[in-house]
Amino acid sequence: SNTINGDGSINNPCNDIYSALSIANDNAIIYLFPGYYSGVNNTNLCDSYQCSKNISLIGLQNPNEVIISCNRQSRFLYIQENTVNYISNVTVSNCRKVLHITIQVLIELT
């Protein structure tokens, strides 16, 4: 249930990627703490609602410590014009499609 939690600050970080995308400003960098991200608020992002911001997603640790898993049920992210443009230092696994891209973007999955 797409409920926004946290305010995105270091003292009150969002508990999921959906919340971070929802409150982020245009051209924001969303830093992902080490952890395992899965479920409705961490997958199929920008598919059920329109992402209209230019965002970067960057893992804060080794990519093996920042894991996004779709549990073989969905895709991770739907990228459209003027949306998420940079992904780095994360591992994306078990997705039907990792990304659905409608424009050329820079993606660095290390």
Side-chain angles (χ1 to χ4, degrees):
S1 67
N2 295 329
T3 302
I4 297 173
N5 58 68
D7 64 15
S9 68
I10 193 74
N11 293 324
N12 189 19
C14 298
N15 291 334
D16 54 66
I17 300 170
Y18 171 85
S19 295
L21 286 170
S22 296
I23 64 173
N25 294 321
D26 194 29
N27 297 312
I29 298 172
I30 297 173
Y31 293 101
L32 300 174
F33 284 109
Y36 185 82
Y37 298 85
S38 66
V40 67
N41 287 349
N42 292 303
T43 59
N44 258 347
L45 299 171
C46 300
D47 199 10
S48 59
Y49 66 97
Q50 176 66 35
C51 285
S52 59
K53 298 172 266 191
N54 190 353
I55 302 284
S56 296
L57 296 171
I58 300 176
L60 286 176
Q61 295 288 332
N62 180 310
N64 293 330
E65 297 177 30
V66 182
I67 300 167
I68 299 166
S69 176
C70 301
N71 298 319
R72 301 192 192 287
Q73 297 177 12
S74 62
R75 74 179 60 145
F76 165 49
L77 183 64
Y78 186 84
I79 298 177
Q80 301 176 49
E81 186 175 357
N82 298 320
T83 62
V84 177
N85 72 342
Y86 185 77
I87 301 171
S88 177
N89 222 28
V90 300
T91 298
V92 179
S93 65
N94 298 317
C95 297
R96 286 188 189 164
K97 291 182 180 178
V98 174
L99 305 169
H100 180 93
I101 302 174
T102 58
I103 61 167
Q104 183 178 4
V105 293
L106 171 64
I107 299 173
E108 178 184 325
L109 298 175
T110 55

